[in-house]
Amino acid sequence: MTDILPSSPAASVVNAPRRYRFATEVVTVDNSDDPHNAASVPIYQTATFKQKGATASGEYDYSRSGNPTRTHVENHLAKIMGAERALVVTSGMGALDVITRLVRSGEEIIAGDDLYGGTNRLLSFLAKSQNVKTHHIDTTKSDSILPYLSDKTRLVLLESPTNPLIKITDIPTISKYVHERCPNALVVVDNTMMSPYLQRPLELGADISYHSGTKYLSGHHDLMAGVIGAKTASVGDELYYVINATGCGLSPFDSWLLLRGVKTLAVRMDKQQASCVRIADYLEAQGFKVHFPGLLSHPQYELHKSMSSGPGAVLSFETGDTGISERIVEGTKLWSISVSFGCVNSLISMPCRMSHASIPAHIRAERSLPEDLIRLCVGIEDVEDLLEDLEQALTIAGALPTPSK
Ligand SMILES: *Cc1c(COP(=O)(O)O)cnc(C)c1O
């Protein structure tokens, strides 16, 4: 990790004489270049910047190319992601769009088989419109990538844990395979489920890590953003070129909101994760099949632990019956029925009906995505209230024995 982080296009100097632990770093934003010593980075709500002369150009000229509020959030995120350069765009899918523009027609992508629904949609679009083929592999078996690695491979797109089946990918092993065999390929990790607090893929061997900033990084479901971190300056420059060329850089106001939200990432995640562990234990004790990397029963418990500092705050469980699952989801009062996760409020959903409905049913079946699966995304409410609400919904749905009065 370097102390001086390049930004887009002008660097605000990052003075980092010493590094602190994550929870300290994430709340400590360097704003030492502010002319009025503002404690909070101001919103530079401007499209253009006046220049000193016809030929003298200042740090900024036009907000599509660069804006001080965006630069601050990018420098701050680079620091907490361990990236040489971070870039912020208008959504998580926008981030993936920028990354996939590094792929040329005829080149190939290798990706997991339990991907975020929107990622699948974008990859299908690339196959049809750009002649970019994607091979889907079971990333829980690292060796399954070997037959597909070739001189055509440009991107290897991984998630860990996957969502909603919570499968774990061995990022160091797969990165090693890719870098040994395909010097031209980039390992890209969608780290949205973990956030940089719990897992930093660039330290595990990935070349690019990206996040939906809509989720944990901002934390309040009040903005959409995408965050890309590049391990090297040259990849960072290529990505910046695409962002400036296509105009998807994050707006000043949303950059400010993201910077405001991310400061509480560690404290939110600690609380959400602790509650999620309680809820996972409760559901497992009731006899449900629970998918959560914090449970000893998870088949890849050790692998997850070796890459990250916690299991996160998203779990899924099976009830064995779609009707029961629907009644549970509709029977909760505190848990909002909503797609997405990473918000301070708790959410419940049925992935096959909601976030993953864009994946055709036969492919869901092929990838053994159970139709009755329920996903819980735990917020910061009191965990006793969350457990009570869940229990009454399970009881109403007939998923638990009715208590005898
Ligand atoms: C939400 C999400 C995305 C897409 O991000 P948006 O901000 O909604 O565009 C990508 N990957 C994962 C894992 C997500 O959860």
Side-chain angles (χ1 to χ4, degrees):
M1 201 184 303
T2 52
D3 286 346
I4 311 290
L5 302 163
S7 58
S8 61
S12 67
V13 178
V14 176
N15 293 313
R18 71 160 280 192
R19 303 305 305 248
Y20 293 92
R21 289 168 186 82
F22 190 96
T24 309
E25 295 262 329
V26 79
V27 76
T28 311
V29 175
D30 177 45
N31 192 24
S32 55
D33 61 350
D34 185 88
H36 307 291
N37 294 321
S40 159
V41 170
I43 306 168
Y44 283 86
Q45 189 64 36
T46 181
T48 53
F49 298 81
K50 293 183 212 167
Q51 306 302 310
K52 291 215 170 68
T55 55
S57 53
E59 266 187 287
Y60 297 96
D61 63 350
Y62 194 54
S63 279
R64 169 155 48 70
S65 311
N67 177 284
T69 315
R70 194 192 302 150
T71 300
H72 270 94
V73 73
E74 288 179 340
N75 284 345
H76 187 60
L77 290 166
K79 184 177 73 165
I80 65 166
M81 292 168 83
E84 182 67 27
R85 184 170 187 176
L87 297 151
V88 294
V89 296
T90 50
S91 70
M93 291 321 303
L96 185 60
D97 176 46
V98 167
I99 296 163
T100 55
R101 284 178 196 242
L102 303 182
V103 186
R104 301 203 195 305
S105 173
E107 292 182 329
E108 296 181 350
I109 298 175
I110 304 173
D113 61 1
D114 183 32
L115 294 171
Y116 176 71
T119 301
N120 267 309
R121 181 167 42 212
L122 182 58
L123 294 176
S124 321
F125 175 77
L126 286 174
K128 274 186 254 139
S129 67
Q130 307 292 314
N131 184 31
V132 171
K133 187 177 165 65
T134 296
H135 302 282
H136 291 277
I137 59 159
D138 177 355
T139 54
T140 61
K141 301 183 184 74
S142 302
D143 289 359
S144 67
I145 197 171
L146 296 175
Y148 297 102
L149 290 172
S150 77
D151 52 8
K152 286 190 186 160
T153 311
R154 178 65 172 137
L155 295 184
V156 174
L157 190 56
L158 307 172
E159 292 180 31
S160 189
T162 65
N163 160 33
L165 286 176
I166 321 289
K167 297 200 281 185
I168 311 300
T169 303
D170 186 338
I171 300 170
T173 300
I174 293 190
S175 300
K176 188 161 107 11
Y177 285 160
V178 174
H179 292 139
E180 275 168 7
R181 283 151 219 246
C182 310
N184 186 39
L186 297 169
V187 177
V188 179
V189 178
D190 179 340
N191 195 44
T192 305
M193 285 273 280
M194 286 281 98
S195 88
Y197 178 41
L198 299 179
Q199 180 169 277
R200 287 177 294 282
L202 300 178
E203 294 170 3
L204 298 172
D207 303 290
I208 296 175
S209 150
Y210 73 99
H211 298 88
S212 167
T214 316
K215 315 287 169 58
Y216 289 111
L217 292 176
S218 57
H220 297 73
H221 279 179
D222 50 10
L223 78 142
M224 308 242 11
V227 175
I228 314 172
K231 191 174 192 160
T232 65
S234 63
V235 171
D237 289 348
E238 281 184 77
L239 296 166
Y240 168 68
Y241 182 88
V242 175
I243 292 168
N244 185 36
T246 60
C248 61
L250 195 62
S251 74
F253 182 63
D254 286 343
S255 295
W256 179 85
L257 267 181
L258 179 58
L259 186 58
R260 178 193 161 103
V262 78
K263 291 179 192 174
T264 54
L265 172 64
V267 72
R268 280 186 278 111
M269 192 54 115
D270 281 342
K271 168 83 177 170
Q272 288 170 267
Q273 177 169 265
S275 299
C276 195
V277 168
R278 284 273 309 273
I279 292 164
D281 286 342
Y282 165 78
L283 289 170
E284 192 168 59
Q286 306 308 312
F288 295 106
K289 180 164 185 199
V290 183
H291 306 270
F292 184 57
L295 290 172
L296 279 165
S297 59
H298 192 289
Q300 297 169 293
Y301 175 86
E302 288 299 335
L303 175 61
H304 179 76
K305 208 173 158 198
S306 71
M307 296 189 295
S308 65
S309 58
V314 176
L315 66 77
S316 62
F317 69 104
E318 297 172 38
T319 66
D321 183 310
T322 353
I324 290 183
S325 294
E326 276 169 26
R327 291 202 294 280
I328 294 170
V329 168
E330 285 168 5
T332 54
K333 298 192 171 69
L334 208 46
W335 300 76
S336 313
I337 306 176
S338 173
V339 295
S340 198
F341 58 86
C343 180
V344 286
N345 301 103
S346 291
L347 310 174
I348 189 167
S349 67
M350 281 181 79
C352 288
R353 301 286 153 86
M354 301 167 67
S355 52
H356 292 63
S358 64
I359 304 173
H362 70 279
I363 295 186
R364 293 201 301 258
E366 244 171 56
R367 298 187 187 161
S368 36
L369 190 59
E371 297 286 320
D372 62 316
L373 197 72
I374 296 180
R375 190 178 73 177
L376 297 180
C377 309
V378 181
I380 64 169
E381 302 91 342
D382 191 299
V383 67
E384 304 301 338
D385 287 332
L386 292 174
L387 281 166
E388 276 169 33
D389 189 42
L390 197 56
E391 185 160 67
Q392 66 80 27
L394 291 168
T395 310
I396 294 173
L400 293 181
T402 325
S404 43
K405 293 260 160 69

